Amino acid sequence: MKKTVALLLTLSLAVLPLTACGSASSSGSNGEVVVYNWGEYIDPDTISMFEEETGIKVIYDEFETNEIMFPKIEAGASKYDVVCPSDYMIKKMIENDLLAEINYDNVPNAKANIGQQYWDMSKEFDTENKYSVPYCWGTVGILYNKTMVDGPVDSWSILWDEKYADNILMQDSVRDAFMVALKLNGYSMNSVNPEELNAAKESLIAQKPLVQAYVIDQVRDKMIGNEAAIGVIYSGEAIFTQRENPDLEYVIPKEGTNVWIDSWVITKNAPNKENAEKFIDFMCRPDIALKNFEYITYSTPNDAARELIEDEDIRNSKIAFPTLSDYSNLETFTYLGEDADALYNELWKEVKSS
């Protein structure tokens, strides 16, 4: 799944070949659009439907992390039109003049169907909502097994409870791991204060003997298989795990957490900008947004699509659709600059090597 591979410390910068997706009739008289998205992050049927309805051929490629995607867009070696970066990376792309402003006259479904709270959240990285359209969103929280954990779970501090030694799973991700420790200590997850970051580092080092594993995809499988009591997980993954194991429960800790957004953007020199806007508009259509939500299980910011969800438990799920105003200290990751990135990476190395 997409989010479980985000923000890895060690990255392979392998270049992925462009591949066609869907079954457009020939090249289509209306041209093409080249899309770059996370793996397993769209229902393939929606691409076929777009091609059939518009006559626009979709050339579709996938990436594993924001950090693999960024240098390809920056180099301009591949002429992508539509990309789906995360919040902090969108800010970095804007700062590096890599994105085109979206003409919302050509994307009416975005303004009509995306909820206002998601536009407001997006302003943290796209100040005037000029460059990005929310596609998926979610939170990071604690997944725990009700048969293996005693008492209420409402704080990140349970991840430091010696009672659960060797039963704790942490995300193998520098920003996510530091988010947990920074929030535990009462700091912003976007802190660049060396003292705060060092305190977070010491907290993570103190926690390390209790951690069964630093994991990526395995957090989902281990929790489903009752191989651990507690894990840090993305909300979309939590929805999937609960379908497989009803003993699992997901909570947003009282100290706050990361609310993330992945959004559609258009590259600065997109060869097919109008087709890119047609593609984004199509993905914002309620029935299409619903299909993608049901396929990938990550929450949709499309309020009209949410109204179409037939399962009342899912439509009103506090995991899939939490009321953000009910929680305090929620933040969205922002791009901190190269110096801060280097500091985070160095401190993470110290944690992993301790």
Side-chain angles (χ1 to χ4, degrees):
M1 296 296 289
K2 171 255 161 185
K3 294 300 291 191
T4 55
V5 296
L7 300 172
L8 288 175
L9 178 63
T10 303
L11 299 168
S12 168
L13 296 179
V15 175
L16 299 174
L18 283 171
T19 55
C21 183
S23 56
S25 55
S26 71
S27 61
S29 59
N30 294 325
E32 65 183 23
V33 62
V34 186
V35 180
Y36 199 22
N37 194 12
W38 300 86
E40 300 181 50
Y41 213 43
I42 199 168
D43 185 335
D45 287 346
T46 64
I47 296 178
S48 299
M49 291 170 66
F50 174 78
E51 291 180 321
E52 291 167 4
E53 290 188 24
T54 66
I56 298 169
K57 181 178 180 180
V58 178
I59 309 298
Y60 192 85
D61 199 3
E62 297 178 347
F63 59 87
E64 291 185 335
T65 69
N66 285 290
E67 288 74 15
I68 287 176
M69 173 274 297
F70 179 81
K72 292 184 69 177
I73 302 301
E74 184 179 37
S78 299
K79 296 299 183 182
Y80 296 108
D81 299 304
V82 181
V83 189
C84 187
S86 301
D87 32 55
Y88 73 98
M89 187 56 69
I90 293 172
K91 183 176 181 180
K92 182 176 181 179
M93 295 174 82
I94 293 171
E95 290 182 0
N96 284 271
D97 195 28
L98 297 178
L99 301 182
E101 290 190 19
I102 295 171
N103 181 353
Y104 283 98
D105 290 341
N106 296 331
V107 194
N109 281 318
K111 292 298 185 180
N113 300 320
I114 303 298
Q116 186 58 45
Q117 70 170 342
Y118 309 109
W119 293 113
D120 293 342
M121 289 162 55
S122 296
K123 289 180 180 179
E124 293 191 31
F125 53 87
D126 181 3
T127 310
E128 299 180 54
N129 295 135
K130 289 182 177 180
Y131 299 96
S132 60
V133 174
Y135 173 57
C136 290
W137 74 285
T139 59
V140 179
I142 296 171
L143 186 72
Y144 68 97
N145 190 307
K146 293 179 287 187
T147 68
M148 302 169 70
V149 174
D150 299 325
V153 178
D154 65 356
S155 169
W156 291 117
S157 62
I158 197 171
L159 299 172
W160 277 260
D161 191 331
E162 294 183 357
K163 180 166 55 176
Y164 303 109
D166 201 38
N167 260 313
I168 296 169
L169 302 174
M170 281 289 286
Q171 284 286 324
D172 192 7
S173 157
V174 54
R175 288 295 297 271
D176 284 326
F178 270 85
M179 180 276 290
V180 172
L182 285 165
K183 285 296 188 184
L184 176 71
N185 293 332
Y187 303 132
S188 168
M189 69 183 196
N190 290 310
S191 175
V192 294
N193 183 311
E195 291 184 4
E196 295 176 356
L197 291 175
N198 272 293
K201 179 199 73 174
E202 293 301 327
S203 294
L204 291 170
I205 290 174
Q207 179 204 35
K208 191 174 179 182
L210 309 179
V211 175
Q212 179 191 116
Y214 296 92
V215 289
I216 307 300
D217 287 336
Q218 300 97 318
V219 64
R220 178 182 68 230
D221 299 331
K222 281 179 173 288
M223 293 299 294
I224 290 172
N226 299 318
E227 297 178 40
I230 307 168
V232 179
I233 199 167
Y234 288 89
S235 54
E237 295 281 310
I239 295 170
F240 176 82
T241 62
Q242 285 188 318
R243 290 176 179 174
E244 302 296 317
N245 185 339
D247 290 329
L248 300 178
E249 192 67 58
Y250 177 85
V251 296
I252 297 173
K254 61 186 178 183
E255 297 91 353
T257 191
N258 170 24
V259 179
W260 56 267
I261 303 180
D262 294 336
S263 301
W264 297 116
V265 300
I266 299 175
T267 60
K268 180 76 172 183
N269 298 310
N272 306 290
K273 186 173 187 290
E274 289 188 8
N275 286 348
E277 290 171 339
K278 290 178 181 177
F279 180 86
I280 295 173
D281 188 59
F282 186 83
M283 291 300 153
C284 292
R285 213 171 74 184
D287 59 321
I288 301 302
L290 176 64
K291 284 180 67 68
N292 282 323
F293 168 69
E294 291 175 339
Y295 184 83
I296 64 179
T297 73
Y298 283 102
S299 302
T300 176
N302 193 306
D303 286 350
R306 180 182 174 185
E307 291 301 315
L308 297 178
I309 298 173
E310 294 183 359
D311 188 323
E312 187 175 349
D313 290 339
I314 294 295
R315 187 171 65 251
N316 298 319
S317 167
K318 292 185 178 181
I319 298 176
F321 303 105
T323 302
L324 298 180
S325 60
D326 291 346
Y327 302 91
S328 59
N329 301 317
L330 300 179
E331 296 181 86
T332 298
F333 277 134
T334 188
Y335 173 57
L336 302 176
E338 292 184 5
D339 290 345
D341 281 353
L343 177 58
Y344 269 85
N345 288 339
E346 182 58 36
L347 295 175
W348 183 234
K349 287 180 183 178
E350 292 182 34
V351 172
K352 298 298 288 288
S353 63
S354 64

